[in-house]
Amino acid sequence: MYEDFFEWLDGEIVCVDKGAYAFAIIVYSNKKGYAAELIGANSFDDEDDDWIHDTMYSSRAYGDEFKFAAESRKKAFDYIGMALKEYLKRGARSKRLKGSHAVACGLQGGALRLLYRR
């Protein structure tokens, strides 16, 4: 069910410098549905979602986004949240994500949902 997402995320994790302190996947709408981007951040603060703006890498900046269809913003966010949770359990490069201080997902302009914290 999440194979396309796993394949995309495997490729994006390879692109991120080993120095990323925390990761987040941000979901946003586009002209054809929804997309997600991987953010590698230089910092993490579990009491302040602004850490996501301390970006060292953004897949979207390189035109590498995960595009998908969903019936609503909520369903798009729920899908990515479930896919990311599953990736953390069994993804090929999940150890790289878990080696950071945190992994979160969120809607563009919204609060982040923390899925993993070291």
Side-chain angles (χ1 to χ4, degrees), residues 88-99:
L88 288 168
K89 290 179 189 174
R90 62 180 180 94
R93 294 187 172 85
S94 64
K95 287 183 182 180
R96 171 63 186 108
L97 291 180
K98 290 179 182 178

